[in-house]
Amino acid sequence: MIDNRTAPWAALVMRIALGILFLAHFGLKAFVFTPAGTAKFFISLGLPGGLAYITMAWELVGAIALILGIWPRIAAVALIPVLLGAIFTVHGPAGFFFTNPNGGWEFPGFWIVGLVVLALTGDGAMALKPTPFGRK
């Protein structure tokens, strides 16, 4: 049974936590690896370097949308391909456990589950611009 009194607040907590994680990953790429370094890493994986900039923008915009509650269900689903890309290019070949060398896919996989849960749960409390569909 769902507690309708607390479920919107649970979704808010999930939304903010997921948004902060994406903001942190954007920050890692932008300020530690640098955009040019991130592009070189993407190239080393056989991906176009320009995809690094798109990924960084996607993470930043998605993080802000989740944190502020701007179409959060859409933002959650839209961020899943970023994590799938990380799994298929970097973390998947490293095995399951994230403690493996090069980090396995355990953490990004669980992160996807969180995004799916948010998309299915709803926008959460205090969403600035609720998703325009899926409401009663």
Side-chain angles (χ1 to χ4, degrees), residues 3-87:
D3 186 337
N4 290 324
R5 296 169 297 144
T6 59
W9 298 101
L12 171 67
V13 170
M14 179 70 87
R15 203 178 76 214
I16 291 172
L18 291 168
I20 289 170
L21 286 172
F22 274 104
L23 204 55
H25 273 259
F26 162 78
L28 181 67
K29 289 175 184 73
F31 304 115
V32 176
F33 300 140
T34 74
T38 302
K40 286 180 187 175
F41 178 68
F42 274 54
I43 292 168
S44 78
L45 296 172
L47 300 169
L51 186 59
Y53 299 98
I54 294 169
T55 300
M56 290 172 63
W58 202 313
E59 288 178 340
L60 179 60
V61 171
I64 291 168
L66 289 175
I67 292 167
L68 297 179
I70 300 170
W71 293 1
R73 297 173 93 177
I74 294 171
V77 171
L79 286 164
I80 291 172
V82 172
L83 294 167
L84 288 174
I87 289 171

Side-chain angles (χ1 to χ4, degrees), residues 111-133:
W111 199 349
I112 289 171
V113 171
L115 290 168
V116 170
V117 167
L118 179 63
L120 293 172
T121 301
D123 297 321
M126 299 173 31
L128 292 182
K129 188 167 181 140
T131 305
F133 58 83

